Amino acid sequence: YVTSIGVMDEVVHLFHATGLHDADAGVVPDPGERIEVVAWPLDDLDGHVRRAIAAQRPSHLLVFDTGGVTGHPDHQQATRAALAAARATGRTVLAWTLPCDVADRLNDQFGTAFVGRPPDEIDARLSVSRTRQQRAITAHRSQSLHNHVLHRRLALLRDREHLRVLYQPASTVFHFEGV
């Protein structure tokens, strides 16, 4: 959600820093007051996601794993909305997740509520370059400035990210090539 022009400017800068140019495609409009995503009716959020799907026509959606990865209620609600929209539009949903060992280490070190997955629940382990992500982190200063948990998470993951399939329409077969 966007709560001020300054934050919206930051989101647009974040999109451009990562090579995306349609910042409005994934941004839910501010309802006029600060309301956390978890407080938005699921039908409203689902509607926003469906409109973004209609405009962008993605083959799949990428969301936070159930539990929100960090345990954040807004992330959990965003995932619920994306799942509802995916079921209605026939899109596969991939979830960004963390391995249990990484989540456990972060929780032990920082008292956080990360939710991890055992190896048999992770469908893909991707080798990634952190270059774009570092640009995004720099652009998203309100969330990343002095964020020791973020930097520790990236250090623990090194050049790997983890995904699992949350939803797959019966008519599709999704597989990760080269993973």
Side-chain angles (χ1 to χ4, degrees):
Y1 60 96
V2 177
T3 59
S4 70
I5 295 299
V7 173
M8 183 61 197
D9 289 344
E10 184 176 311
V11 169
V12 170
H13 184 66
L14 168 68
F15 269 68
H16 290 189
T18 57
L20 301 172
H21 298 287
D22 190 0
D24 292 334
V27 176
V28 175
D30 184 359
E33 58 185 88
R34 184 178 173 92
I35 298 176
E36 295 177 343
V37 173
V38 71
W40 281 41
L42 189 57
D43 288 345
D44 288 354
L45 290 172
D46 170 33
H48 286 295
V49 176
R50 285 188 199 203
R51 286 188 289 283
I53 289 170
Q56 299 297 314
R57 304 175 56 87
S59 60
H60 58 276
L61 304 180
L62 179 63
V63 300
F64 291 99
D65 197 358
T66 54
V69 179
T70 63
H72 196 293
D74 283 350
H75 298 169
Q76 294 174 35
Q77 182 75 336
T79 295
R80 285 189 289 271
L83 280 167
R87 286 186 179 104
T89 61
R91 298 302 194 277
T92 296
V93 179
L94 305 176
W96 168 65
T97 194
L98 292 176
C100 280
D101 62 323
V102 171
D104 292 345
R105 287 182 70 183
L106 291 168
N107 293 338
D108 289 346
Q109 285 182 293
F110 297 102
T112 52
F114 282 93
V115 178
R117 297 284 171 186
D120 64 329
E121 292 182 19
I122 295 173
D123 295 311
R125 290 151 189 84
L126 306 174
S127 181
V128 298
S129 166
R130 298 285 182 200
T131 305
R132 272 192 196 181
Q133 187 174 24
Q134 289 299 332
R135 284 196 305 260
I137 289 167
T138 300
H140 198 20
R141 294 179 56 84
S142 69
Q143 295 292 312
S144 63
L145 193 63
H146 308 297
N147 187 335
H148 303 292
V149 177
L150 167 67
H151 298 289
R152 181 64 177 143
R153 177 177 59 79
L154 294 176
L156 290 169
L157 290 170
R158 297 186 304 272
D159 69 343
R160 303 294 273 177
E161 288 293 348
H162 303 79
L163 301 175
R164 67 188 206 107
V165 178
L166 275 191
Y167 173 74
Q168 184 171 318
S171 63
T172 64
V173 176
F174 187 85
H175 57 89
F176 295 95
E177 298 210 13
V179 180

